[in-house]
Amino acid sequence: MAHILVADDERSICELLEITFRKEGHRVEVASNGETARRKMESQIFDIVISDIRMPDTTGVELLQFCKELSPSSYFLLITGVPTVETAIAAINSGADRYVIKDHELVDQLRRAVRQVDETLRLKSEAGYLRRELRRLTGQDNIIGHSAKMRAIFDMIVTVAPQNSRVLITGETGTGKELVARAIHENSARSKEPFITINCGAFPETLLESELFGYVKGAFTGANENRPGLFRGAHGGTIFLDEIGNMSLPMQVKLFRVLQEGKVRPVGSNEETEIDVRVIAATNKDLDKAIAAGEFREDLFYRLSVIPILLPPLRERREDIPLMARAFLERFRKSMDKTVEGVSPEAMSLLESYDWPGNVRELENTMERSVALETGKVISVGVLPAKISQQGKQGQEAGRESVNGHARIPEGGIDLERHVQDLEKAYILAALESSEGVGTRAAELLKMSYRSFRHYSKKYSIR
C-alpha cells in the first residue's frame, strides 16, 4: 500500500484518480492547487506524487523540485493535457519518474506506473528491513542522525570497535553515550560476551568498590556469600563505566591499579584474579577542569582516554531533528496504536529552533508526550510542552522589535553578527506562523523572493 498525493486543478481528475487508487488499496490524498500540495508535503511523506504540469499558482516542475528537496525518495509522476516536446524534455530533465499524457489511457498508464513503483517500494522495504536488522545486530539501531557530526561518530565507532583500546566518551546528559558504548561493543570481537554497565555516580564509595570488584563472605556486615563483582562478570566482554567523573578519589586510585595490572581483588580478600575486560567510560563533566581542581586523577584520565569520543549536543546538529522526530513518532505511534502520521510545519519549526538542554532524551520524551496527547493526524503546536512553544514565541517577538535607530548596546557589549542572525531567524519563524506554514506566502510577507526565503530557511534549519 502506497501513500499517494494527487495534485491537479481539475476536480474531476482528482476524484477519478482518488477513486481508482483507493480501490487498489492505496492511501490517497488530493490537492487542487500547488499551495495545498506543498503544505501536505511539508507535514507528511508521500511515496508517490502525481501532479499536473500546469496549475494556476505553480508548475509541476516547481512542485517536483520542492518535493525532491523534502523527500528525495518520493516518486514523482507528471501528467499534462497539453503535451509538447518542450514540456516532456523539462519533465525528464527535472527528474520526473514518469511523464503521462491526459488522454483515454491516462488511468491505465498511471495504474501501471503505480504498480511498478509499488513493487519497487516493496523490494526497498524488504531491503530496509534487512538493513535495520543489521543495525540492530551492530548496536547502531538507536543512534539516529545524518549530519556531518553524526556521520563522523559512526565512522569512529566502526574504526575503534575492532580494537581493545579503552574509550572515553564525553558529552552532555542525554546525548546517547551509552548507545555509542554499546555500538562499539556490538561491533567488536567481544560482541558475544557480556556488556555490563554501571553508573559510578549512583553508588557511595564503599558500595561501588564491592559492586565493581566483588567481595568475599564476611568482608562486611551483610556479606553472607562470595560475590564476583562486575569486572569479573564482564570477563571477555566490555564494562561501561558511566559518570566516571563522579567517582571519588580513593576509588579512582583502586580503579587505576586494576587498569594498570589487569587484576581485581575482592573486598576482604588477599587474592587477585586476572581479568580480560575492555573498559569504556563516559562522563558529562569537563575532566580537564576536574584535574586542574584536584577532583580527578590525571594518570587515570590518560588510562581511560586512549581513544576520546566527543558527542555533540542536539542544538549543534539541528538538521538531525526532523529525522529523529519522525523516528520517535513512528515508534510511539505503533506502541500506542495511534493514527498520528506526521508533524505540522509550525510544530516542526518550533522543534528545530528549540535548544534542547536535555538533548536526544528530551526530544524522545517530547515526541512520546505529543503522540499521546495528539487527537488529529499530525502533531500540532498545541500538544508541545509550553517551554518549547514559549521559546519560539520569544524568538518571534524578538524578531518584531524595531531596530531603526532605537537599538541599545548592553553594558557588556553585543555579538552583532549573532544578534542579526537571531533577528533573521525570528522573522522567518514569525512569517511562517502568520502564513500558516506556507513558504510562498511567508516570502511575500518578508518582501523577498521564494528562492531567498528558501535560502534563509535552510541556513537556520527551518522547515
Side-chain angles (χ1 to χ4, degrees):
M1 182 179 68
H3 193 189
I4 302 174
L5 172 64
V6 178
D8 198 307
D9 58 324
E10 291 185 51
R11 184 174 180 179
S12 59
I13 293 292
C14 287
E15 291 178 348
L16 175 61
L17 297 182
E18 182 179 18
I19 292 171
T20 298
F21 292 122
R22 282 191 184 277
K23 283 183 177 179
E24 297 199 352
H26 300 295
R27 291 167 53 207
V28 185
E29 296 193 32
V30 298
S32 60
N33 53 57
E35 178 180 310
T36 303
R38 286 191 181 92
R39 294 181 64 179
K40 286 181 178 290
M41 285 189 287
E42 284 178 332
S43 61
Q44 303 174 64
I45 296 177
F46 292 92
D47 300 315
I48 305 170
V49 177
I50 302 172
S51 172
D52 189 7
I53 204 165
R54 290 182 181 177
M55 286 182 282
D57 61 341
T58 190
T59 68
V61 172
E62 290 175 343
L63 203 59
L64 185 156
Q65 293 169 345
F66 182 83
C67 174
K68 290 296 184 180
E69 290 191 8
L70 285 178
S71 177
S73 62
S74 297
Y75 288 81
F76 206 99
L77 313 179
L78 279 172
I79 59 178
T80 181
V82 187
T84 65
V85 174
E86 289 77 14
T87 57
I89 293 174
I92 299 303
N93 289 342
S94 59
D97 297 283
R98 188 68 64 89
Y99 176 75
V100 182
I101 299 171
K102 288 182 179 179
D103 57 17
H104 65 282
E105 293 184 351
L106 173 65
V107 173
D108 290 334
Q109 289 192 62
L110 286 177
R111 186 186 286 118
R112 286 194 295 270
V114 168
R115 285 175 180 171
Q116 291 174 359
V117 172
D118 200 36
E119 177 65 13
T120 302
L121 291 172
R122 184 186 66 79
L123 295 174
K124 282 188 174 182
S125 178
E126 292 178 357
Y129 170 77
L130 294 176
R131 285 195 298 270
R132 288 193 298 274
E133 280 298 288
L134 178 61
R135 288 172 68 83
R136 181 182 66 81
L137 293 173
T138 60
Q140 297 183 45
D141 57 316
N142 288 322
I143 308 177
I144 303 170
H146 58 188
S147 63
K149 289 187 176 182
M150 287 310 296
R151 288 199 300 269
I153 296 296
F154 292 142
D155 291 342
M156 179 68 79
I157 290 172
V158 173
T159 300
V160 307
Q163 317 302 323
N164 282 319
S165 303
R166 300 185 189 105
V167 179
L168 177 62
I169 306 171
T170 57
E172 297 178 6
T173 299
T175 49
K177 295 186 285 295
E178 183 175 345
L179 292 177
V180 171
R182 190 176 294 276
I184 292 172
H185 170 76
E186 294 294 341
N187 278 280
S188 73
R190 299 173 179 264
S191 59
K192 294 183 179 180
E193 302 300 329
F195 176 80
I196 295 179
T197 70
I198 182 171
N199 187 330
C200 299
F203 295 89
E205 179 183 326
T206 53
L207 185 55
L208 180 60
E209 181 181 5
S210 61
E211 284 291 316
L212 289 175
F213 310 139
Y215 54 83
V216 297
K217 183 178 180 180
F220 50 83
T221 303
N224 300 320
E225 59 183 2
N226 293 337
R227 185 168 181 175
L230 297 182
F231 265 97
R232 290 176 62 186
H235 184 73
T238 304
I239 188 167
F240 176 56
L241 305 177
D242 198 8
E243 302 302 342
I244 192 73
N246 293 332
M247 183 179 285
S248 68
L249 286 171
M251 269 303 301
Q252 291 177 35
V253 174
K254 296 172 183 177
L255 176 60
F256 175 81
R257 186 172 63 246
V258 169
L259 299 182
Q260 185 177 37
E261 300 176 0
K263 299 177 181 180
V264 295
R265 179 188 300 169
V267 177
S269 174
N270 294 321
E271 296 183 1
E272 294 183 328
T273 303
E274 289 189 359
I275 53 168
D276 173 23
V277 177
R278 183 177 193 175
V279 176
I280 301 178
T283 182
N284 59 7
K285 289 188 173 182
D286 185 334
L287 292 187
D288 287 327
K289 291 183 178 180
I291 291 171
E295 298 171 353
F296 200 86
R297 292 180 61 91
E298 188 173 15
D299 53 2
L300 177 60
F301 172 78
Y302 289 119
R303 284 284 179 182
L304 292 171
S305 62
V306 177
I307 300 176
I309 296 179
L310 172 62
L311 293 187
L314 192 52
R315 63 182 175 274
E316 292 182 5
R317 54 184 186 102
R318 295 181 188 273
E319 58 267 48
D320 289 332
I321 291 175
L323 179 66
M324 300 175 74
R326 291 192 187 100
F328 290 139
L329 183 149
E330 186 65 18
R331 181 202 302 175
F332 296 124
R333 181 184 70 82
K334 290 180 178 178
S335 64
M336 298 179 190
D337 194 24
K338 302 274 287 195
T339 58
V340 183
E341 297 176 352
V343 181
S344 71
E346 299 84 1
M348 186 63 79
S349 293
L350 291 175
L351 293 178
E352 290 180 302
S353 60
Y354 182 59
D355 283 339
W356 300 106
N359 291 294
V360 179
R361 191 175 300 151
E362 184 181 5
L363 175 58
E364 182 179 10
N365 293 340
T366 296
M367 293 308 300
E368 181 177 10
R369 174 188 188 275
S370 299
V371 172
L373 295 178
E374 184 57 64
T375 57
K377 289 291 186 180
V378 295
I379 299 295
S380 60
V381 173
V383 298
L384 295 179
K387 58 184 177 181
I388 296 178
S389 302
Q390 188 61 36
Q391 180 174 304
K393 290 178 181 177
Q394 290 173 350
Q396 292 163 10
E397 289 172 359
R400 298 187 186 101
E401 291 179 356
S402 173
V403 293
N404 54 348
H406 301 289
R408 294 182 180 180
I409 302 297
E411 292 183 3
I414 186 172
D415 184 336
L416 180 60
E417 183 177 355
R418 176 63 182 273
H419 184 62
V420 170
Q421 290 176 351
D422 289 342
L423 286 174
E424 289 176 343
K425 182 176 181 180
Y427 274 119
I428 295 291
L429 289 170
L432 280 170
E433 182 183 44
S434 299
S435 65
E436 298 181 343
V438 180
T440 51
R441 192 184 302 165
E444 291 175 0
L445 291 174
L446 295 173
K447 308 299 182 185
M448 64 171 60
S449 68
Y450 184 60
R451 183 183 296 273
S452 296
F453 179 80
R454 294 277 297 284
H455 166 74
Y456 282 104
S457 297
K458 286 184 177 181
K459 178 180 178 180
Y460 298 117
S461 301
I462 297 173
R463 285 176 56 83

